Amino acid sequence: MPKRTDRQNLLIYGAALAGLLFLLKWLELRLLIYRNAYEYYGGAIALVFLFVGIWIASRTLKPAMVQNAGALPDADAAHKAGLTTREIEVLALLAAGHSNREIAEKLFVSTNTVKTHNAKLFEKLEVSRRTQAVERARQLGILA
């Protein structure tokens, strides 16, 4: 049998130590999982419920723009007038006759935010009242 060199011995010992280290870490991980199994299972279940909740919320809680026959917004005309997407939504709800509080509830924002959107709308459409804003939007082709 040929005699092994120092380099071969070093590789064999290194591989054996790496294998033992891997075995010890694997056993440590198994013990850790065994001792904390309920926490890991609970965490996994919590993650599942988190993602299911996010998915359900994204499907059901999207602020729906009011689309009645008389107030369908034309996004292209609105963007040409310099209106943001949220301002278009507020304008559509204004045209539908909703109050600031009702608009805030439908868009999941505060009434102060709706008032700010109204002020920006009035400024961009160069009007001073809600009815004027709706009329001006119809003139510009933003609302049908």
Side-chain angles (χ1 to χ4, degrees), residues 107-121:
L107 298 179
F108 302 104
V109 296
S110 72
T111 53
N112 287 333
T113 303
V114 173
K115 290 176 185 177
T116 301
H117 288 307
N118 285 341
K120 292 291 186 182
L121 269 170

Side-chain angles (χ1 to χ4, degrees), residues 89-107:
E89 292 173 347
V90 170
L91 182 61
L93 291 168
L94 282 176
H98 293 285
S99 68
N100 286 346
R101 185 178 54 81
E102 291 170 337
I103 294 171
E105 288 173 1
K106 288 187 182 290
L107 298 179

Side-chain angles (χ1 to χ4, degrees), residues 47-57:
L47 282 175
V48 168
F49 277 102
L50 172 73
F51 289 118
V52 168
I54 290 171
W55 180 78
I56 289 172

Side-chain angles (χ1 to χ4, degrees), residues 73-87:
D74 180 9
D76 292 334
H79 288 300
K80 286 179 186 173
L83 301 180
T84 65
T85 305
R86 186 59 92 170
E87 289 169 347

Side-chain angles (χ1 to χ4, degrees), residues 4-21:
R4 284 186 266 179
T5 63
D6 290 336
R7 185 173 184 183
Q8 288 174 335
N9 283 336
L10 184 64
L11 287 174
I12 291 171
Y13 289 133
L17 286 174
L20 284 173
L21 182 63

